[in-house]
Amino acid sequence: MKKVILDCDPGMDDSVAIIMAAKSPDLELLAVTAVSGNYPVSVTCANARKVLEMLGRTDIPVAGGMAHPMVRPAPPDPFSHGRDGQGENFLPDPVTPPAAEHAVDIIIRLARENPGEVTVLCTGPMSNLAMAITKAPELTEQLAGVIAISGAFGLNRYAFTNATGDTPQSEWNVYVDPEAAKIVYESGLPLVALGLDVATHFDVNFSEQQIRSFADSPRPEARFLRQAIRYADGIGFEAYTTIIDCMAVGYAIDPTLVETIQGHVGVETESRLTLGMTVLDRRHHHAWTHLPRITIGAKADYSRFLALLSELILR
Ligand code: BDR
Ligand code: CA
């Protein structure tokens, strides 16, 4: 079993990602760490606990993390996850308290206790991980790697037509805390960035039959997803918006789901017009090879991904 920490900002798609990670027999979910992103950390931390309580998995600790991006105020979310941040599922308030440790400290401790074994799945802004690396630089040697829903790399039209941050070029998770993303990208940690190119493709949509099977399932998590899809539909969004973050979990379970390339990427932290843009240098000549070289999702097998997701939700 692969040991993972899910660092997230639930968020309806983060919530479904938690369900997948908690239910996968291939993953050992050591902790869920919450960060401010889609909502303030008080909300995202409560939402993560609500999901784990729905699953009966209160054995998995949930730690609250960074309340703000590293150096700038949190922007308002232009993409609505609903009044409760969970596609208006309105789950009961959690009864389990958050972990006593801060998210940054739990990441550092779990990496130390399991050297070389822990992969961090980042499905929110990278503030917690960037702060953990800043506090304990040895983390870059101790973690196995990072799989993130992060950026957009211009590999297809979805990279920019589905931009989620508040500029024409940015992706929400990087846009919220570009300095944190820059720290993680430049840290030397093995980083797989699954950007909007692969995570927001219009083929990431369920069949009618899959949606019916969620509605008919006795499992509360299946009905949770059904409601999130209904909510997204009601505000004019495609169903993929409910499962963007799930691709990080899917890739952790089965890396053959996504074809990747290697490339040098810089994170824009200054320009108002392109703040948070992840710039992939693909030039043959004069390429900026000093930029960090990371692994980038280029193409996904959407039908296998959706089959895995459905199987885990209904299991
Ligand atoms: C990201 O933006 C958030 O709204 C989603 O949860 C996802 O992590 C996609 O850009
Ligand atoms: Ca998210």
Side-chain angles (χ1 to χ4, degrees), residues 8-15 37-38 77-81 122-125 149-151 162-165 170-174 176 194-196 199-200 241 243-246:
C8 56
D9 62 339
M12 56 185 173
D13 54 337
D14 303 81
S15 298
N38 289 319
D77 182 2
F79 169 74
S80 175
H81 292 247
C122 282
T123 65
I149 299 298
S150 184
N162 291 345
T164 50
S170 59
E171 182 278 325
W172 174 251
N173 292 336
V174 182
V176 172
L194 304 176
L196 301 176
T200 68
T241 55
I243 55 166
I244 295 173
D245 289 339
C246 297

Side-chain angles (χ1 to χ4, degrees), residues 210-218 222-223 226 230:
Q210 279 167 326
I211 294 177
R212 239 192 336 272
S213 66
F214 301 144
D216 294 344
S217 167
R223 296 199 302 275
R226 175 66 191 100
R230 190 180 295 119

Side-chain angles (χ1 to χ4, degrees), residues 9-291:
D9 62 339
M12 56 185 173
D13 54 337
D14 303 81
S15 298
V16 185
I18 294 172
I19 297 169
M20 272 184 91
K23 292 185 78 177
S24 169
D26 299 307
L27 301 181
E28 185 184 354
L29 182 55
L30 300 179
V32 175
T33 49
V35 68
S36 285
N38 289 319
Y39 292 84
V41 69
S42 55
V43 177
T44 62
C45 186
N47 281 351
R49 285 177 287 138
K50 289 180 189 178
V51 174
L52 289 173
E53 286 183 12
M54 174 178 71
L55 297 174
R57 292 299 309 275
T58 50
D59 55 304
I60 299 168
V62 178
M66 296 282 285
H68 303 286
M70 298 197 76
V71 299
R72 59 181 75 234
D77 182 2
F79 169 74
S80 175
H81 292 247
R83 279 171 291 163
D84 61 348
Q86 296 186 302
E88 307 207 334
N89 266 281
F90 299 117
L91 295 178
D93 283 341
V95 291
T96 34
E101 271 173 304
H102 190 275
V104 168
D105 296 317
I106 213 168
I107 293 171
I108 294 171
R109 178 175 61 75
L110 289 170
R112 272 187 196 144
E113 287 173 2
N114 304 274
E117 287 187 78
V118 179
T119 300
V120 180
L121 311 180
C122 282
T123 65
M126 288 172 153
S127 324
N128 284 340
L129 185 55
M131 190 54 92
I133 294 170
T134 307
K135 192 172 176 188
E138 66 278 12
L139 216 62
T140 57
E141 305 294 324
Q142 291 167 338
L143 286 171
V146 181
I147 302 170
I149 299 298
S150 184
F153 301 95
L155 301 173
N156 61 31
R157 70 187 176 95
Y158 303 102
F160 299 125
T161 52
N162 291 345
T164 50
D166 198 22
T167 79
Q169 301 288 315
S170 59
E171 182 278 325
W172 174 251
N173 292 336
V174 182
Y175 174 73
V176 172
D177 198 343
E179 285 77 15
K182 188 169 158 63
I183 288 172
V184 174
Y185 277 56
E186 293 180 355
S187 68
L189 267 170
L191 168 64
V192 180
L194 304 176
L196 301 176
D197 316 66
V198 294
T200 68
H201 199 290
F202 288 128
D203 284 348
V204 203
N205 272 318
F206 297 103
S207 66
E208 281 305 313
Q209 194 199 340
Q210 279 167 326
I211 294 177
R212 239 192 336 272
S213 66
F214 301 144
D216 294 344
S217 167
R219 308 278 334 160
E221 59 272 28
R223 296 199 302 275
F224 178 96
L225 177 55
R226 175 66 191 100
Q227 165 54 27
I229 294 169
R230 190 180 295 119
Y231 169 76
D233 192 42
I235 58 168
F237 288 161
E238 279 74 15
Y240 79 77
T241 55
T242 64
I243 55 166
I244 295 173
D245 289 339
C246 297
M247 197 162 278
V249 182
Y251 185 86
I253 295 169
D254 179 0
T256 70
L257 289 176
V258 185
E259 282 176 31
T260 59
I261 61 167
Q262 302 272 312
H264 295 278
V265 176
V267 179
E268 176 59 54
T269 55
E270 285 165 29
S271 156
R272 172 67 193 105
L273 188 63
T274 56
L275 185 67
M277 185 177 180
T278 46
V279 181
L280 168 63
D281 194 339
R282 306 193 79 192
R283 289 176 293 175
H284 289 300
H285 304 293
H286 318 297
W288 283 8
T289 52
H290 61 279
L291 294 173

